[in-house]
Amino acid sequence: MQISVKEQLDKMNEMQRKAAEHTEGPLLILAGAGSGKTTVLINRIAVILENKLCYPSNILAITFTNKAAKELVNRIDNLLGDEAKGVWASTFHSFCSKVLRRNINILGFSNDFSIFDTDDSIRVIKSVQKNLGIDPQILPARAVLSRISMCKNNRILPKDYMENFGNDVYNRDIYCIYTEYEKQLAGSNALDFDDIILKAVTLFEKSSEVLNYYSNKFKYIMVDEYQDTNPLQYRLIYLLQSAHHNICVVGDDDQSIYKFRGATIENILSFEKTFKDATVIRLEQNYRSTANILDAANNVISNNSQRKGKTLWTASDKGEPIYENRLDDEYQESLFIADTILDSVAVENMHYKDFAVLYRTNAQSNSLEQMFVKSGIPYKIIGGVRFYERKEIKDILAYLYLVHNTNDDLRLTRIINEPKRKIGQATLDTLRNLANGNLTSMYDIAQNAGEYPELARSMSKLGEFCALINSFRNQKESMPISELIKEISVKSGYISMLETENTEEARDRINNIAELVSTAAIFESQSQDATLGAFLEEIALMTDIDNLDESSDRVILMTLHSAKGLEFNNVFISGVEEGLFPGQKSIESQEEIEEERRLMYVGITRAKKRLYLTHTLARTIFGTTKYNKPSRFLKEIPSEIIKPLYNKDKQGISAAAYSSPLSSRVITKTADLNTSAKILRPSAPASAACIELEPGKRVVHKTFGPGTIISKKPMGGDTLLEINFDKTGTKKIMANFTRLKEE
């Protein structure tokens, strides 16, 4: 039974309801972490439709992730059912892509344009650098792409580059690369990630007809996470709201943490200056965290000056204190985290998915991963190698892109000899040169290879390749995408190539391709526009967070930047040390420190029930051992709500003894930190040392319960055990960390 809009509004607090019922004119909703902003957005849409202020298709709701957009659509559907069909809910990039597919011909592109991801863009830049003779060691391709991205987000085109950055050798080289990079994108009928919004804004400014259509169409515009917008996104929103001025933005200036991506906190801080008749409503009641966690967050963020000001509060109780632990090094830190998780799962019947470990840099995950593997803790890293970045997936997608858009020279270059077709680099270079000289695509030259004497020796091989691609192109309209992927995988010889390798890795790659087929089948069943172009677009705009399976029972490891928008019962923030968090480069700048403090605020407010803050006396990272002081952010949390899990009075290695709130485990170390930088490893637990660990042996694990040892394998001074647990299945864990007893 559906709940009426009135019943839904009656459940809201005063400020939530005020925001939901405010429908006309510019509105800024300052929504603190966990304050129910999505509930407000959904109910605001419900109020608009309930009062028949417009049709569903006249409402545009923009978010930053596909995950958030899908949640918005699902919750609107649950509340209003068919009444809400037609509401536009999408990310910035998905919305702009949809606009461009219909109108990009005005800008000289065709609507079957490709979208290049970061890896694709870097490949183009490296190719350009090689052609221009620019040393990639002096000017790394990733650094060049970062500068180009910054330029596009600030609308600095190649022709304006030198005026903005100077005429020295460094900037002249970037200017040359940027200019040629843009030519190659245009020649491939392709856009990079930043182009999607840039071209949409350019389209609106160039065509008053297109702008008038969309600005009149959307009577109500709502933007989530407004503090994360960059100048280009601000311009897009400003143009779209020009007809009706009913712009509602939801954001939290205290969670503005993406300056490195071009986001500017000024967009939210100056909202009332931009929209003179704006109303501001603050959502400060938190429904996520305990009072102690909120006290910690409020006290930390209060030290920032660049903020509009609000104080989170909750009707919940104080909850547990904030647990702080100081360990000797990253190994002991990882051991403490692993032990605490295992104890909680065993003693309190928690699940692994109740835990997240957050860190400032990806490099910190290494010691955590090693410890989790040894301890048998299932985990998922957000920000590791994404599924769509794996070679076999990018190869099959490259076939799909070329089938969709034969102007895509980058994808052609990737797969013309994958699997091997005896089409070498010399032939590719000739194709590229002829394409450039004739102002056409490499595929067009390959199809007509007989007309070019330079390609006489490769003519038959090129003809076979083009015939293959054309056969797929003839099938793309009539064949489901999932079947087309199967057809490409087999007919191209890709599966046969992997089967011939006959290795474990090759079998995994075949399974990954099968997973891509499944993904396409799901897309076909759920999408109203199940075309090849729509499928490629969805994949291109997908982020790692979009693939997070919250039902999977695994500990989540991720950077603090990746964690925004998520919540967990128990959160560890590791490496809370000066020089790491805040980072060394931030310490000299007040503006940068405030950004880091906002990042700490985001990390703290991810925790619902329990928060652990860990730091070490010594940490080896990027090959260098450093001795850092505890972070200044720790001192900004009231001492009365912090419970230290170490002896504050102990000198030297003061983390030699520690205890979690669930155990009194003590680890003794004999080395002095000042005389040895070597990380000492604790001896094997007594329980593992006292029993024979042989295949067939029945054992009991503290967390996983009873099971049978299947195999053992010596590995690095330890033993890898494969154990089939009765309730949780087969797991591979290291003997020195098993906590086993005889059944």
Side-chain angles (χ1 to χ4, degrees):
M1 180 179 176
Q2 277 189 336
I3 302 175
S4 70
V5 174
K6 182 181 182 304
E7 288 175 308
Q8 194 72 12
L9 290 172
D10 287 342
K11 290 182 177 181
M12 302 173 77
N13 67 44
E14 180 186 355
M15 300 312 289
Q16 286 178 326
R17 182 163 186 161
K18 184 178 178 182
E21 293 180 332
H22 188 289
T23 60
E24 306 306 307
L27 173 65
L28 168 61
I29 302 174
L30 286 173
S35 61
K37 62 173 182 173
T38 305
T39 298
V40 170
L41 280 178
I42 290 163
N43 282 280
R44 188 170 188 269
I45 292 171
V47 167
I48 290 169
L49 295 178
E50 177 92 348
N51 292 317
K52 300 189 180 338
L53 300 178
C54 69
Y55 294 108
S57 59
N58 299 134
I59 298 174
L60 171 63
I62 296 183
T63 68
F64 270 83
T65 67
N66 290 309
K67 181 176 179 290
K70 287 176 181 176
E71 180 188 357
L72 202 62
V73 170
N74 290 337
R75 289 181 61 177
I76 291 171
D77 187 59
N78 290 338
L79 179 61
L80 298 174
D82 291 340
E83 292 179 37
K85 296 294 184 189
V87 171
W88 284 47
S90 68
T91 64
F92 273 100
H93 288 89
S94 294
F95 169 75
C96 290
S97 292
K98 194 176 291 188
V99 171
L100 292 173
R101 291 288 176 198
R102 297 178 181 178
N103 305 282
I104 200 170
N105 60 297
I106 295 172
L107 302 181
F109 289 76
S110 61
N111 62 6
D112 61 352
F113 62 84
S114 297
I115 299 174
F116 284 3
D117 62 18
T118 299
D119 181 59
D120 297 324
S121 294
I122 287 175
R123 289 184 68 198
V124 174
I125 288 171
K126 286 180 176 178
S127 174
V128 169
Q129 287 179 303
K130 182 179 178 182
N131 294 337
L132 294 175
I134 295 173
D135 188 348
Q137 298 295 321
I138 297 174
L139 198 55
R142 194 170 291 276
V144 175
L145 181 61
S146 178
R147 174 61 66 90
I148 291 174
S149 176
M150 183 270 288
C151 286
K152 289 187 176 184
N153 286 325
N154 287 279
R155 310 189 70 187
I156 301 172
L157 302 179
K159 64 183 178 64
D160 307 314
Y161 184 87
M162 305 290 268
E163 183 181 334
N164 281 272
F165 296 102
N167 195 24
D168 56 86
V169 174
Y170 175 83
N171 283 306
R172 278 201 302 273
D173 283 349
I174 293 182
Y175 162 75
C176 293
I177 296 170
Y178 187 10
T179 302
E180 187 58 31
Y181 172 74
E182 289 296 281
K183 287 180 182 177
Q184 292 211 19
L185 284 177
S188 294
N189 190 38
L191 308 181
D192 66 17
F193 203 63
D194 297 304
D195 277 328
I196 295 171
I197 299 177
L198 175 59
K199 298 297 185 189
V201 171
T202 304
L203 175 66
F204 286 152
E205 293 180 338
K206 185 173 184 177
S207 172
S208 57
E209 182 180 352
V210 175
L211 174 60
N212 288 338
Y213 171 79
Y214 284 102
S215 63
N216 280 291
K217 174 180 176 60
F218 297 118
K219 186 175 180 182
Y220 293 95
I221 298 171
M222 282 164 262
V223 184
D224 195 11
E225 304 287 2
Y226 189 67
Q227 77 281 347
D228 294 334
T229 55
N230 61 33
L232 204 55
Q233 290 160 333
Y234 161 79
R235 180 63 179 163
L236 177 78
I237 295 303
Y238 188 83
L239 291 168
L240 282 171
Q241 63 83 46
S242 57
H244 298 289
H245 308 294
N246 289 325
I247 173 68
C248 166
V249 302
V250 183
D252 183 359
D253 48 315
D254 291 332
Q255 294 187 69
S256 179
I257 59 173
Y258 295 124
K259 183 182 177 184
F260 69 99
R261 293 182 188 169
T264 171
I265 194 173
E266 282 304 315
N267 286 350
I268 193 167
L269 294 180
S270 62
F271 185 83
E272 298 116 297
K273 293 180 182 177
T274 305
F275 303 98
K276 303 297 184 185
D277 54 341
T279 299
V280 179
I281 296 174
R282 287 172 168 79
L283 304 182
E284 297 175 299
Q285 184 173 359
N286 177 282
Y287 293 92
R288 175 190 299 161
S289 306
T290 64
N292 279 337
I293 290 172
L294 295 183
D295 282 350
N298 286 329
N299 277 277
V300 168
I301 202 63
S302 67
N303 289 278
N304 272 8
S305 60
Q306 274 196 310
R307 61 191 301 256
K308 299 182 81 70
K310 63 183 177 309
T311 301
L312 296 179
W313 62 276
T314 180
S316 301
D317 57 23
K318 286 187 174 295
E320 298 183 41
I322 310 301
Y323 298 108
E324 179 202 353
N325 207 353
R326 181 170 66 189
L327 294 311
D328 289 351
D329 49 46
E330 70 274 12
Y331 177 83
Q332 295 293 341
E333 180 183 52
S334 300
L335 179 60
F336 163 72
I337 292 172
D339 280 347
T340 303
I341 291 172
L342 287 172
D343 282 344
S344 300
V345 170
V347 178
E348 298 185 285
N349 295 318
M350 291 187 187
H351 299 284
Y352 291 110
K353 65 183 179 181
D354 292 329
F355 295 87
V357 186
L358 313 181
Y359 35 78
R360 183 63 182 84
T361 66
N362 279 308
Q364 291 171 252
S365 70
N366 185 37
S367 60
L368 289 162
E369 281 191 85
Q370 291 182 38
M371 187 62 66
F372 282 12
V373 168
K374 289 178 178 179
S375 303
I377 296 175
Y379 67 93
K380 166 74 173 175
I381 287 191
I382 302 298
V385 178
R386 292 174 54 210
F387 177 76
Y388 295 107
E389 289 174 355
R390 291 170 177 157
K391 182 183 184 303
E392 62 276 10
I393 300 303
K394 289 188 74 71
D395 286 345
I396 298 302
L397 288 176
Y399 275 99
L400 291 173
Y401 271 113
L402 190 61
V403 167
H404 179 63
N405 169 24
T406 55
N407 289 323
D408 195 335
D409 289 350
L410 180 72
R411 270 53 180 257
L412 178 143
T413 303
R414 183 182 184 98
I415 47 90
I416 195 170
N417 201 39
E418 187 72 38
K420 301 298 182 187
R421 298 187 176 91
K422 297 183 179 178
I423 301 174
Q425 188 60 47
T427 300
L428 276 175
D429 291 341
T430 303
L431 281 175
R432 186 178 291 105
N433 292 335
L434 287 169
N436 291 339
N438 289 274
L439 300 178
T440 188
S441 68
M442 292 171 69
Y443 188 82
D444 186 52
I445 298 295
Q447 278 204 114
N448 299 284
E451 299 177 14
Y452 304 96
E454 304 97 312
L455 295 171
R457 294 180 61 184
S458 306
M459 183 174 64
S460 63
K461 295 297 181 185
L462 292 172
E464 290 172 10
F465 174 74
C466 291
L468 180 70
I469 297 301
N470 286 335
S471 71
F472 299 145
R473 283 176 62 79
N474 291 335
Q475 294 173 297
K476 72 171 183 175
E477 300 299 334
S478 58
M479 182 179 284
I481 303 163
S482 55
E483 293 299 318
L484 182 60
I485 294 172
K486 291 180 188 176
E487 187 85 354
I488 287 172
S489 303
V490 174
K491 294 288 180 63
S492 68
Y494 205 95
I495 295 295
S496 295
M497 174 189 72
L498 294 175
E499 287 175 339
T500 302
E501 288 182 22
N502 195 28
T503 62
E504 189 67 36
E505 181 185 354
R507 285 189 284 274
D508 286 343
R509 293 172 69 187
I510 291 173
N511 290 335
N512 287 337
I513 293 172
E515 181 65 23
L516 181 64
V517 173
S518 300
T519 300
I522 293 170
F523 173 80
E524 291 159 1
S525 67
Q526 296 180 345
S527 176
Q528 295 179 341
D529 178 24
T531 61
L532 177 58
F535 176 68
L536 292 172
E537 182 176 298
E538 175 158 305
I539 287 174
L541 302 181
M542 193 171 287
T543 66
D544 212 15
I545 293 297
D546 295 328
N547 292 318
L548 177 60
D549 180 4
E550 295 181 13
S551 65
S552 178
D553 193 19
R554 295 179 290 182
V555 177
I556 297 298
L557 306 180
M558 68 175 82
T559 64
L560 286 142
H561 282 102
S562 297
K564 194 161 79 66
L566 302 176
E567 58 184 49
F568 303 89
N569 282 334
N570 309 285
V571 169
F572 295 87
I573 303 180
S574 70
V576 189
E577 302 151 23
E578 287 290 302
L580 184 60
F581 188 29
Q584 193 63 44
K585 293 181 180 178
S586 307
I587 290 175
E588 301 303 320
S589 165
Q590 182 61 30
E591 185 178 352
E592 295 290 338
I593 283 290
E594 294 208 358
E595 177 102 351
E596 293 280 294
R597 188 175 281 113
R598 290 193 289 269
L599 192 55
M600 182 66 173
Y601 175 84
V602 166
I604 292 172
T605 53
R606 297 314 92 197
K608 296 166 69 175
K609 297 180 179 178
R610 195 177 285 168
L611 175 65
Y612 299 87
L613 305 175
T614 65
H615 49 102
T616 65
L617 290 167
R619 184 180 299 275
T620 302
I621 194 166
F622 305 125
T624 302
T625 300
K626 293 186 177 180
Y627 305 91
N628 298 322
K629 296 178 180 179
S631 171
R632 68 189 69 192
F633 302 147
L634 281 170
K635 299 175 184 177
E636 294 171 355
I637 299 173
S639 58
E640 59 268 21
I641 64 173
I642 291 183
K643 180 179 180 180
L645 301 177
Y646 63 98
N647 185 352
K648 280 193 169 187
D649 299 324
K650 187 173 177 64
Q651 300 299 313
I653 305 177
S654 53
Y658 70 80
S659 62
S660 79
L662 300 172
S663 72
S664 57
R665 184 178 295 102
V666 175
I667 293 178
T668 304
K669 297 186 70 175
T670 57
D672 190 295
L673 192 64
N674 296 318
T675 60
S676 174
K678 181 180 179 181
I679 297 176
L680 300 179
R681 301 294 185 252
S683 58
S687 60
C690 295
I691 63 174
E692 293 184 10
L693 302 174
E694 297 296 334
K697 183 83 172 182
R698 289 288 293 175
V699 294
V700 178
H701 186 279
K702 182 176 180 180
T703 303
F704 305 132
T708 304
I709 298 176
I710 300 173
S711 67
K712 60 182 288 189
K713 180 181 179 181
M715 185 174 291
D718 204 338
T719 303
L720 177 66
L721 297 174
E722 187 175 11
I723 305 174
N724 184 14
F725 291 103
D726 297 348
K727 294 182 179 180
T728 56
T730 301
K731 296 184 181 295
K732 293 181 179 180
I733 49 184
M734 303 303 288
N736 285 350
F737 291 82
T738 54
R739 307 176 180 209
L740 297 175
K741 296 180 180 179
E742 291 189 67
E743 188 176 34

